[in-house]
Structures are given as C-alpha cells and as structure tokens.
Amino acid sequence: MIDLNLRAEIEDFYARYCAVLDEGPLEAWPDLFTEQCSYRVVPRENYRAGKPLATLAFESRGMLKDRIYCVKQTLFHQPYSQRHLLSGMRFEVTQDDRYRVEANYLVIRTKVDEMADVLSVGRYYDELVRDGTTLRLAVKHCVFDNELIPNSLIYPI
Amino acid sequence: MIDLNLRAEIEDFYARYCAVLDEGPLEAWPDLFTEQCSYRVVPRENYRAGKPLATLAFESRGMLKDRIYCVKQTLFHQPYSQRHLLSGMRFEVTQDDRYRVEANYLVIRTKVDEMADVLSVGRYYDELVRDGTTLRLAVKHCVFDNELIPNSLIYPI
Amino acid sequence: MIDLNLRAEIEDFYARYCAVLDEGPLEAWPDLFTEQCSYRVVPRENYRAGKPLATLAFESRGMLKDRIYCVKQTLFHQPYSQRHLLSGMRFEVTQDDRYRVEANYLVIRTKVDEMADVLSVGRYYDELVRDGTTLRLAVKHCVFDNELIPNSLIYPI
Amino acid sequence: MMQTAVQHGLDWPVNAISRVPYALYSDPEIFRRELQRLFYGKHWSYVGLEAEVPRNGDFKTTKIGERAVILTRDLQGGINVIENHCAHRGVQFCQERLGNRKGFVCPYHQWAYDLKGNLKGLPFRKGVNGHGGMPEDFKLENHGLTKLKVAVRNGVVFASFDHSVESFEEYLGPTILKYFDRVFDGRELSVLGYSRQRIPGNWKLMQENIKDPYHPGLLHTWFVTFGLWRADQESQMVMDGHGRHACMISRRNAGGKGAVTDGVQSFKEQMTLHDARLLDIVPEAFWNGPTVVMTTIFPSIIIQQQVNSLSTRQILPCGPNSFDFVWTHFGFADDTAEMTQRRLRQANLFGPAGYVSADDGEVVELAQDGMRQHPEYQTISELGGRDIGNTDHMVTETLIRGMYGYYRKVMEL
Amino acid sequence: MMQTAVQHGLDWPVNAISRVPYALYSDPEIFRRELQRLFYGKHWSYVGLEAEVPRNGDFKTTKIGERAVILTRDLQGGINVIENHCAHRGVQFCQERLGNRKGFVCPYHQWAYDLKGNLKGLPFRKGVNGHGGMPEDFKLENHGLTKLKVAVRNGVVFASFDHSVESFEEYLGPTILKYFDRVFDGRELSVLGYSRQRIPGNWKLMQENIKDPYHPGLLHTWFVTFGLWRADQESQMVMDGHGRHACMISRRNAGGKGAVTDGVQSFKEQMTLHDARLLDIVPEAFWNGPTVVMTTIFPSIIIQQQVNSLSTRQILPCGPNSFDFVWTHFGFADDTAEMTQRRLRQANLFGPAGYVSADDGEVVELAQDGMRQHPEYQTISELGGRDIGNTDHMVTETLIRGMYGYYRKVMEL
Amino acid sequence: MMQTAVQHGLDWPVNAISRVPYALYSDPEIFRRELQRLFYGKHWSYVGLEAEVPRNGDFKTTKIGERAVILTRDLQGGINVIENHCAHRGVQFCQERLGNRKGFVCPYHQWAYDLKGNLKGLPFRKGVNGHGGMPEDFKLENHGLTKLKVAVRNGVVFASFDHSVESFEEYLGPTILKYFDRVFDGRELSVLGYSRQRIPGNWKLMQENIKDPYHPGLLHTWFVTFGLWRADQESQMVMDGHGRHACMISRRNAGGKGAVTDGVQSFKEQMTLHDARLLDIVPEAFWNGPTVVMTTIFPSIIIQQQVNSLSTRQILPCGPNSFDFVWTHFGFADDTAEMTQRRLRQANLFGPAGYVSADDGEVVELAQDGMRQHPEYQTISELGGRDIGNTDHMVTETLIRGMYGYYRKVMEL
Ligand code: FES
Ligand code: FES
Ligand code: FES
Ligand SMILES: [Fe+3]
Ligand SMILES: [Fe+3]
Ligand SMILES: [Fe+3]
C-alpha cells in the first residue's frame, strides 16, 4: 500500500483538478499536465477494439492551451456547467516519482433551464509525475462508457 | 497539506452528515451545526450575480430545527428518498480549530414508482469549527448548478 | 476513529471491488467474499418493512460463482456497462479483524446507443473480515432506493 | 380511431389470429381503446391480496390500467377498491404504498372520505360566519370517490370499473377457476415481499410470454438443464371458453440430455451448481401432480407456481411502449421456516434479476424495439396450427392465438 | 381539433363553469389552442421588470408561452421585446439569461440585429468578387425579428404578439389596476434574485391555486397557525370585468385556535418557532390595510405581496403536462438594510422549498397525476355557489369560476 | 396526414423552395412520411464500409431511418443487408455493433437464420413425439428476414428497402459519382474508429449544414483564420440532376486578414497555435486540386474529405426532433504511419468535440429550439438567388434550395 501522505497528496491533486474544470479558470488546466503529455478522451468502443481514434487527442501542454483558447475564443457553444465526481481511486508507484492512478468518474452537466444530465461517465487511466514540489499529469486517458455523446463535448473532462 | 488525522476526522464528519440526511433521523441534522450558523441553499445564478436571494437561508440552529419541524409536521409533500455523493473534497485550516472545506456534491432523488433522478448537483462551501470533541458546521453554503428545481426541495441538502 | 492504515486498506478494497465489477473480470468477484457469506440486493421497501424477499439473495461463495456462471453462460441479456461511485464511507471495528462498513453507492448504466442512466442507487451495509493478508466481505447487503428497476439487473452491484 | 390505426399501417386480415400487426404494440389510439375496453371495461383486474390489508383500516395503493386505485379494509372489515383522485379537484391524495388509516383526507382542501370512498365532510361546507360554503343542494353522497366492483376469492382481490361485469367465477370459467383454487385454496397467505421492474415493452408482450410454452425450454437454459421445463415433459395447455385466460401446466422430468436438447443452442450439458440449495425443491401436497402451473388472467395478472416459488405478477401499462411489472411473492401462514427459506431461495430464479426471468424482460424489450421500427410487419404464431384449442403438449402457440381471438372481438379490430 | 378533444372524452355541459373536464389539463390539441389564443393572442404576458435591464444595451431572455423572447433596453433607452429566433434559418441566437450588448449577432451566419430587432446587415449580402449575395429586391427591413407590442407600467414590462391587443390598463381593468399600482407605485425596484422550478402539472392549475382562497388555511398549516391566512379573517375576492384576472386580499388576524381551526386536521396549536426572525413582520405604508394581496394576471403571471415578501411568479408552460415557474423576488431601491434582510428571511416561506409554497407545487403535481388518469372526469368548484361575483369573504371558489367563464369564451369550448 | 400538417400551420407557397415552414422540422406526420418515402422508399442509404466486415461471417449492426439492419459478409464472401427483427415475433435479435458469426439465432425461440437472412430452421418445427410443430404448409423460405437491395461501390455499402430503386450509379448521377470515386477510388480502406453524438435537431438540418457553404467562414473561426475555408477561395457547388445530392468543393488559400474577414465578427487575426502539429497538412495525390470536398448523399450520409481527415457521417433520425450522427473515420490501407497519425491529429477538428464541428451540433440544436417554438414561421435561403443551379463560388444557398426542390416532389408537399 502506498504511503499515506502520498495518497493524500494525490487525492488533493485530483480535488484541484476537478475544481479547475468545474469552478475554473480553465486557463489553469494545462498547467496540471507535463510539457510532453498525453491527454485523450476516448469512446470505450474504440479503446476496446484497439482503434486509434479519439474524441480528443492531445500530445503536449501546448495543444491543451490551444484547446482552451479555442473553447474560450472560437468554438461557439451553449453555456453549461459541469460537475465531476470521482470514486474508487487506485494508486500504484511505477517508478520513483511516477504513479499510475485509475478512478471511475462521472460528469454531470447542467444547461440553462434544463434538468441536469450525464455528460460523461467512465474511467481515468492516468500517470502522475512529481515535478519539483508539485504533481503533474503525464498521461490522462478518459475512456467513456456513454459513447453516444449528448450532442457535444466542449470543456475538458 | 493538513494533518492526516484531521483529514480523516473531517471526512468522517461528512460521512455522518450524509448519513443523517439520507438515513435519518433528520432531527439530528441541526446538531451538526453551531448555534450561530449560516446554512444557505443557493442557485448558482444568484451566487454568481451577487444577488442575495437563497432558496433556503437560515441563520441559527434554531432556524434549522424549525425547518425540520416544518418538514416533518406541517409541509405537505410526496415521499422521496435522497442519496448524497460527495467528491473532490478540499481542506484548508483558516485558524486554530477552524477549517474551510469545499466539495462537489450530487443528490439523487427517488420518488415512489419513478426512476431515480438528479435532485441537486453543485458545490459545498463550508466552514467547520471544533466544538470540544466534535466538529460542527459554522457555515454551509450549497450552491447548486441545476437552477431549475424538479418541482420542490423538501429535505436539507 | 479507526487506524489510518486500516482505513486506507478498506478504501483500497472497495476500489478493487468496484474495478472488478466495472472493468472485470466478473469471475474475480466471488473471491472478494468469504466462503460462508451473505450477499443480498434488497429493495428498500422490503428492507424497511422487514419483509424477507430480496432481488438476489446468496448464502455462499458457491452461489456467487453460480451467479457469475449464469450471467456469463445462460442468462440472455442486452450488453451494458456499469460504473460504480461510492461516497460517505463509515468504518467501525466490531471485533478483532472484523469491520462494519457503510457507504452510499450509485451505479450508472450505459446501454449501447442509449444515454447513460441510473441503474441502482442506495446504500451498502457490509461486514469485512481479515483473511490472512487480505480482506473479504462476510456480509454485503445492497439496499436500493430505486425500487422500480429499469427492466433488469444482470451484473452484481 | 381506426384512422390512426390505418395511418400506422394496421392492415389485419379478418379472423387472422396467428398473425398480429406490429402496430398493435405501439399505436397510441389502439392503446387508448385497450384501456377503455380491457382495463376499464367488463373485465376483472387484480389489485392485491387480503393478506396485504389484514387489519381494519389497512390500505394498499396500486393501479388498474393507468388509473390509481386504493384497496382498503374498512372499519367493518369489508374490502373496498376506490379510485385515488379527489372528487373535488382531482388530487391523487394517497401516496404511501401501504398504511393504516381511519379514512382519507385530501391534502389540498381536506375533503374527508371514509375507507369505502364516501365523502364524509369538507371544510366550511356551511360557510363561515354566514359567508360562502357549498350550495344548498350539494349532497355529500353525490361526490364520493369512484367505487369499483370488488370480488374476493380465497384471499385474492379483483376489481372492475364496470359494475355490470359478470361474476369473478363466471369470468374465470370452471377450468381456470380450478387451477386458481389449486394455489389459492383458502389457506391464509403470507406476503414475503415485492419486486418491481419497468419493462420498456407493450403490456401484451408479457401476457404472450406466459402463454408461450415454446420459449422456456429455449430461452431459459436453466430450466432445460435442470428439467424444470422442457418440451418433452408432460403438460397441458388449457383456456377458458373465451380463450382469454390460460394455464400452462407441466411436470418436471429428469432433465439432462435428450431428443429435445439436440441442437438447442442454449442447452449446457455439463452445468452443475456450486451450491445446490438454490434448487432444493420439495413437493407440496397442493401441487397434486404438476410441478408448475402458470396462470394468465386477462388482462392484468399472472399467477406463478414454479415448484416452491409462488408469486402474483401484476401488469400496469404506462402508455403503449412500457409497463410496470409488480411481483408479490407469497407463501402460506402455516409454512415451516424451512419452506419459507426454500421459497425465498427459489425466488432467485424469478423477478428482475431472476435466473429464468430477467431474460424475459430483456426479450420483451427487444421485441418492442423490433416492432416499433416496422409497424406494418406482422408476427407469426402458428406453432401447433392456426386454430385455438387446448392441448396436452407444449409445442404450440395456441394460447396466444386464443388471446388474440378474444382481443379482436372486444377491441373490434 | 375538437375531434381529439372529444376522443379524449371532453364532454362539457354548455355554461358549466364550476365543473371542468380533466381532459382540459392534458389534451395536446387543447393546449395548442391555448398557446394560440391565450399566450399568442390578444393578451398581455409578463416578461420582466425594468430593473432587470437598467442600462442601455441590457437584455434579459425569457419566454411567452413556449416562445423564447428577449427583453431589451435599446441604445436610446427604449424597452423592446423581440422573438429569440433568427429570421434567416431559425437559430435561437441568444442563450444568456442576462447581459449587455450593442446588438445581436446570430452565431450561424452572423446576421446582425439591433436591440429593437431590426436586421442591420448580413455577411456577403452584396456577394463576393461579384459572385452571389442576396437578391436585388431583398430588403433588410422585411427580415427583422418578430417584434412584440410592449407595455411598461411603473417598472413592469408586459408584451403581446398581437399588436391589436387593447391597452394594458384596459386589459387589467380599473379594479385590478388599482391593486397592481398598490405594489408597483412607481418607486424604483431592486431585484433580490430568482427561484425556478419545473412543476409537472398543467399551467392552469397554478392560476387556480392563486385564485383559490379555500386552500391556504387548510394546506398551509403555517399560515393558519401564525394567522397569516385563515378563513375567518377580513378579506375580499375581486375580479376584472371579464373574470380573467383577480386579487385575493386579506388582513392577518391574531392566529391561534378558533372556530375555523376546529377539525382542521392541519392545524397545530402548540406550534412555536425556535427563531422568531423568520416572522419578523413590519407593516409598510403602501399596504394600506391588507397584509396580503395575491394578484393573478391572466394567463402568465402572479404578483405576490405577502407581508414583507414581494415577488412576481411567471408561468411558462412546457406542453400540457408541465410548466416552469419563475420567481423574481424584489424590494424597493429605498429599502433599509433591515427591510431587505426581512424580505429575504420571509422569502424562506416561498419558492420551491418554501414553508407555504413547496406544498403548492406538490399538490399541483398530484392534481395532474389524478387528472391524467381519468380525462372523462370533472372537477367541482362550487364553494360559494355556481356563479361568478366578487365577495367580501374567502369561503368561495368564485375566482376559479370566473377564469373558466372567460376561458370558455375565448377558447370556444 | 396533411390535416395534421395544416393543423401545425404548414402553409407553404407552391414552388417556394427558398422558404421552408418551421413545421417541417417537428411535425410527427411529416416525419412519418419522410421515413416512408425518403428512408424506406426509392433511395439508397449508407450502411457501412466493406472494411468493417472484412472476413466471412463478419457483421455490423446499424440503422436506416428508424429501422435496425445488419450488414453481413456471408460465408461465400457476399455482402448482405438484412433487417434486424425476427420473422417470428419481432425480437431485435442482434445487439453487438460488430462481430463474427456463422449465422443468427434469435434468443427468444432460437429461430435460426443464415447471414443472407434466410430462415434455416426453427426448434420443434416437426413437433415433439408427434405433437405440435408448424403447419404442413409452413415453408422456411417464406419466413426469412427482410432482405434489402445492396449496392457496393469501391468498398462502400448502400442499401434500399425498395428493390425497384435505380442503380446506385444512376442514383448518384455522373457529377456526384465522380467525386464519390475521388475518395473511394478502389484502394483498400482502413477504419480508424468511431464517434457518435445524439443531436437534438431534425435530421434535415444536418443535410442543410453540409449543403451550406455560407456558414463555415462565419461560424468556424478556425477555418477562416487558417484559410481552410473562406468565402474568397476557389470553389464549386455542384448537384446531381435532381438537386438532392451535392458536393461543396474548395481549395484553401493563404488565410489571414482580407476583404472577406472585414467585419466578420468571428475572425481572430492574431490567432496562432502553441503546437502546430494539429495543422500539419500534407497534400495527397487523390485530392487532385481541391483541399476539401464535402459530399451530401441524400438522405442518409455525408462524405468528408477535409485536407487529410476522411470520414463518413451517417444520419440516423430518432423521431422528428433528434438524430444520431455517427462518424466513421478512415484512411487507406497503404497509408504511412505518419499519414495515419496526421489523419488522427486532424480528427481533433471534427466530431462531437471538434474545433470546427462541435459548433455545428450546437447551432443545429438551437435551430430546432427556434423552429419548434414557432411552426408557422419560415426560413429564408435566398443567398445567391431563389433558383437552383451549380455555382463556381460559395456565396450561395443553392444546394439547400436544390434539396427542397426535390423534397417537395417526393413528399408531395
Ligand atoms: S382537491 Fe381534494 S380537497 Fe380539493
Ligand atoms: S440562422 Fe441566423 S444567421 Fe443563419
Ligand atoms: S421471436 Fe425470434 S424466435 Fe421467436
Ligand atoms: Fe420465460
Ligand atoms: Fe398555496
Ligand atoms: Fe460546419
């Protein structure tokens, strides 16, 4: 079992991750990743079948910044709020200062004047690395079960 | 990072809080607050716009007791069960024995012979204080995203 | 308050439990229980009224194995994925190496080409025992609020 | 009405009872007519068991068709069924599933009814300080709740919105009544609990499912393997004179491999249980031969006796495309603790997660999916011929044809 | 249309206004006619308060019936109401609830409108490099947004899709106008915030609820106990000449036990508050007698003055079976901090969680449930007789009868 | 039918093809007619790629209109399309999206079909021990699954419920066929994966979206800024002889500031990428000039070639108010690893989260919202005139007019 302090540190990291996505500012999101990172949002059917297509597939912090710029400046969309819930987090130390983390996630979406619904539900397959005093995501693969997306996916998961 | 025992103590407090609301007895709910407390359930639009109106706004444990009495004795409503899920808890020690806590919450409602649905989803902005051997809520502000409430909100969140 | 390491060990156990049900293999599920165990999935109305009927009621690891065989080999059903979220876990040491655990649970179901919905929501009333180096469930009673099941319940909860 | 039906492609050869247009399972106008003629017309619908309301003042809420009703035991011990909406301005005033009351008071304006549904009083009827109140000619007796005709037989309660309905015994007819009395022989019943599921399919698909001896040996591997049900076992398929009600009667045999399992894809020869208690079956005197009798009483209820497991399965349509299916498992007050445990263990086979019935809900949903997509298409239920008649074997769909023969008469379709 | 209605069992004796067929609350064809004649016809519907759009360029999105509209204050300070769908190809172009803009640009092809709804320009209208563009005879002025007729009175904004509607003052009539002006007397308003709920019931049930002085003293124990509302207090029920609008006017009395609480099941004598601040009521000059005036302006809005709590309650139907209910709580710009806090504390009594209004949403839902199950049934609203007329007491359902008298005329049902 | 349409306010000037009544996007009767005449009539609908079922026994489930169908490669290697509901009693027997089988067995009663849809056998057909079974005259060959007419061209599979439909090549016509063959030139395809979204709008709005060269340069800032699409670039808009199919053909230019960006609110001059790999575009031989060709094949499919990103986009209506949109991204079997990675990177631009297509789903939803609220209103698509014709520029809505010209003929509206 991993060290309790490390465990708490990782839990805190994910609490911050969710707060950034749900409370903002989205501009803080790329900094939670390493410079060379892999962020993917993938329908389970592609993941299972070994098909390479992702709903979103980014390969660097720069691409994450470009996405946020796009979402904020150029991609028209209806306003909505999202709320993340994580559960069943599993921790594994793969090398010094490198940790594999998995967790179930649920994202509830609320659009103006509509009932809340499930925007995305699935599992995180992540890798965290220690970068000085802080942790960063080197890998975050969000594999979602609800392959039929309720219209569109704008903000990061 | 806060002390691990304190962290566990706070998590236990919230587990108790949810159990009281979901399992009962509701009469035990006011005791989880300080005598002079602030309990507010607020639609996000008012919260963001700085508008003072709340769906529920209580200023003392007495008001909480009055609410429970009302719910149990005078406020007609259809029976339903509620189930709380919290995630992404963040802890901060603001002074000795005073802690700021935030968390995402989701409340699933089930009415008799209906499918379960989302009653409320949003974020807690709380302050806990140590009162002798136990913790109590001095502040609990539940800011909900799903501003269009599915008919009515009877039990506390 | 229970020992922090024990607490983490129990949380890890539940993370594994959920991973087995959501990620598979289901064949690993019975091993999470003791040989003589009680696994019950019970509508809240029967639980509250003291009526003995359960949706599923098993009395041994053997019965759990028979269920998995049935689900995999003989029980026709439409494919779906499930995703567990737990919250508000409460721990109690009842005797040496025997622990009572309660938690709220939510299971989100996704069927092919349909929106995700709530398959089951309720509370676990469990008892864990230490079996050598590992923990096992001696008792797991899943009492669900949404008594009107969305057609059928195939996989374990 | 038929306009819509035709719009939806209903094109049904006269007298064809072995072919049913898919439109019948999703057309809203046809469904509306079904409610009026089948559920609210001259038929008896199941509402519950006396054992659910044992004491004076006890009540149980349920539905007939889409109408909420309340089964009550009044203060004189009588059984009543009344409609659950207020005569004043329509409030469905009672929410609890089960309870005990001296009477009902509507929350909105506190009109008060007794357990028989009579309006006993209303606030300010005579006005306040000489102001207002109800008109002189307003009579409490004209404004009670809808009262249904009630039939109680051996502890089982049925009701009808149409007071001119024939007696329950005539309704069942002698054959079905005999099998009804086989399970409900007057012994006191004890309720073990409830299971509920919402099945996204037309309600008739569930009636067909229990009038269909063709599927259990094929869909339910479990049955085959353990010989609880297979095509080569002794059985009779019987109906009432109208073909609307039926019993599937059978006696389990050895199970295992045999002629009827050859090429049956679902058969698993080597299947055994890790814990045999699930199938700890002990014959009961009342069986009197058959190990299973499945009774369908049109339109609302199925009575299950499957070895030691007993239940009523109530059908509550919610629109044409889904229905709620409510299982009430029961035993007898004089059951031993062992027998009760046995019934509860065998209950694992049934209900929304049941080893041999979760899959029924699944195929009903898939039949609805298949039928909605092509309303102009037709089923073909011609196993055992195209006519209607009782049989002493189960290689037939005669009971389904029987139901549609009656259905066409009453529905005038 | 009536075909459907009749299909659904609408069978309504001519001139019966005290009996309303349940079908009226769920029939889709009737609902469609209600939208056309009541919400889009010669009536004024509430859209908001001037205080919500104080500065030039401010806008607020809302609905009338099922149509999305925008309340704007144009750059000249004028108030406009325009329909929220693009004249090009229908996009509902504005999503924010509140904002400030120089004009609107549709996201799809950037057609640009000013705050009055005039089409100001569109990309490539004259073509690109001599290619394409709009036809010669295309005139911007023919392709603006739908503009509604607007009425502003003392800071409250109403609009109508039918420009031939009578003036707002004529529409209210002198009696209702007097009570409208009692709250909206020209003082500057300040918005305290919003509450929103989706109530699964027909929109008319909410109009009835606030035209129904019979229920508060019975459903709302709170009211009775603290004397905020009881059947024996001074009150008047008044209507406009058409019976479509109404005010329920009353003055609280001592509360506690009394003739009208005898046998009222919901009365709780010994009830007291742990924290009395919830009922820290201070009379205001403008009350001028009554402690409560509830005004229903047909079809879209309720104006609440309950002691120190003030709100508008907007009705936005979503199909026949549900509506959104939007509460705008407000005070006056010159309120003291104490009075503002008082209004906010008393706001606990109202809205989706309110001590005396969460239950209104609940009974409305249950009335819809009860009515949907039996469309052929009828309500009976005969308290205080079967005719229509103002009263100086509250033991009457005359206001409901008044509304249906007018409803039948306009709906030709 | 038209009754309902008229009820819903359908009032459509004869020959008006540049104005479309909003009712057309939500009326259930019109939608039903669309299913019959467009999706189930004399048209070819997309079902998939041969590359999805490479081996004998492979199958893929999908839909045409609202009917579930299965694309199979039979044991002889032939391509078949059969309807996914059992001929016995309607069960939609196949659930997996992709798989490999020797044949299909319905779970309910194990009727067995081969991959061509022929009924091969059914349990107990000859009865058991001389009892029951199917009638003498029952012929397997009369009870197979619905078989659709199939067309395969260069690895793409289309099907029709109407076997009298013209050939696929005639259906496309020479112009569209040329562009079809430009992408599908016979090279082996490789499937990169799927994206799926449920868009709450009428299916026709997506056809319009890809027949609309007016919006990309305005809605999709990304396109403009990087010169992937702007109103001043070389382009042709071409249709088949009926105006039902179309190609939008264009060649990217320098991008950046220019006449067509003046006053275009969505244009962002200073926009640059932190990581340019997203736009690492490498021309391919088959482009043969254009950098983008968007092909709409009425009614079911869009073929996308956007620089290096290739996909089919299938339209599956779910009632009048929403549709499922299924993206199949593909490349060629002989692609280099670099080219595959390039296609995958550029795929970020498309699909439910795409930089230049998530917003299409959003505006389609908002168009549906705007149109539902006002069925009597009409669109105006008059950019480039009111007639139909191919153009060598993109400042036109001619392709949309072309589609509605054909639509009115077939729908007789
Ligand atoms: S509605 Fe029941 S008392 Fe008025
Ligand atoms: S739809 Fe609004 S600009 Fe085209
Ligand atoms: S429904 Fe398919 S075999 Fe009977
Ligand atoms: Fe079965
Ligand atoms: Fe009220
Ligand atoms: Fe686009």
Side-chain angles (χ1 to χ4, degrees), chain F residues 86 88-91 106 108-111:
Chain F
C86 182
H88 178 220
R89 275 167 32 209
V91 165
C106 178
Y108 206 175
H109 311 88
Q110 297 187 23
W111 284 31

Side-chain angles (χ1 to χ4, degrees), chain F residues 330-388:
Chain F
F330 62 91
F332 301 100
D334 58 12
D335 285 337
T336 62
E338 293 66 29
M339 179 55 77
T340 298
Q341 184 174 46
R342 195 172 288 119
R343 301 197 197 283
L344 290 168
R345 280 190 184 129
Q346 290 175 30
N348 280 301
L349 274 59
F350 306 103
Y355 287 64
V356 293
S357 77
D359 42 8
D360 284 320
E362 293 289 303
V363 292
V364 163
E365 176 172 357
L366 291 168
Q368 189 71 14
D369 291 342
M371 289 172 160
R372 281 179 85 166
Q373 77 186 52
H374 206 148
E376 307 77 12
Y377 211 90
Q378 301 197 337
T379 63
I380 168 167
S381 299
E382 304 193 343
L383 195 72
R386 301 189 178 92
D387 57 349
I388 303 173

Side-chain angles (χ1 to χ4, degrees), chain D residues 78-271:
Chain D
I79 293 290
N80 311 268
V81 178
I82 52 184
E83 197 176 1
N84 186 1
H85 68 78
C86 183
H88 178 221
R89 274 165 37 205
V91 166
Q92 204 176 87
F93 52 84
C94 186
Q95 280 77 52
E96 301 97 297
R97 283 196 172 128
L98 295 164
N100 184 285
R101 300 261 189 84
K102 298 231 162 321
F104 297 105
V105 176
C106 178
Y108 205 175
H109 310 88
Q110 296 187 23
W111 283 30
Y113 305 92
D114 66 19
L115 293 160
K116 296 182 171 70
N118 300 305
L119 178 60
K120 302 306 287 183
L122 54 94
F124 316 140
R125 177 178 166 205
K126 296 300 179 195
V128 174
N129 312 334
H131 296 309
M134 296 302 277
E136 276 318 312
D137 61 0
F138 177 88
K139 303 226 172 322
L140 293 177
E141 50 271 38
N142 299 339
H143 299 282
L145 303 171
T146 312
K147 299 176 182 180
L148 284 75
K149 189 168 183 184
V150 175
V152 183
R153 185 173 177 92
N154 294 339
V156 192
V157 184
F158 288 78
S160 176
F161 278 95
D162 187 334
H163 286 256
S164 69
V165 62
E166 65 200 305
S167 78
F168 178 69
E169 288 68 19
E170 292 171 276
Y171 182 68
L172 285 200
T175 314
I176 306 303
L177 190 61
K178 189 183 81 201
Y179 286 101
F180 180 91
D181 290 346
R182 173 176 168 275
V183 171
F184 301 109
D185 57 6
R187 279 186 295 168
E188 194 185 333
L189 304 175
S190 76
V191 174
L192 299 178
Y194 303 95
S195 282
R196 302 171 192 272
Q197 53 188 137
R198 175 159 294 168
I199 299 180
N202 181 274
W203 67 274
K204 296 187 292 297
L205 290 168
M206 185 49 71
Q207 283 282 352
E208 293 178 22
N209 181 265
I210 308 297
K211 289 174 182 290
D212 172 5
Y214 189 24
H215 86 275
L218 299 162
L219 176 62
H220 308 307
T221 312
W222 247 79
F223 268 147
V224 194
T225 312
F226 298 104
L228 289 174
W229 190 286
R230 37 193 288 166
D232 58 355
Q233 66 200 47
E234 264 180 52
S235 54
Q236 298 85 37
M237 304 297 127
V238 301
M239 289 170 270
D240 72 313
H242 297 277
R244 58 193 174 186
H245 315 307
C247 294
M248 300 197 300
I249 304 144
S250 193
R251 178 201 291 270
R252 73 184 293 205
N253 62 18
K257 219 156 163 13
V260 294
T261 61
D262 297 347
V264 171
Q265 299 224 8
S266 58
F267 179 67
K268 311 261 177 240
E269 195 181 354
Q270 76 306 338
M271 187 166 151

Side-chain angles (χ1 to χ4, degrees), chain F residues 35-48:
Chain F
L35 286 179
Q36 292 303 330
R37 300 191 181 189
L38 307 184
F39 289 91
Y40 309 145
K42 285 187 176 24
H43 293 95
W44 286 101
S45 289
Y46 173 87
V47 286

Side-chain angles (χ1 to χ4, degrees), chain F residues 181-200:
Chain F
D181 290 345
R182 173 176 169 275
V183 170
F184 301 108
D185 57 6
R187 281 184 295 168
E188 194 185 332
L189 305 175
S190 76
V191 175
L192 300 177
Y194 303 95
S195 281
R196 303 173 190 271
Q197 52 188 141
R198 176 158 292 167
I199 299 179

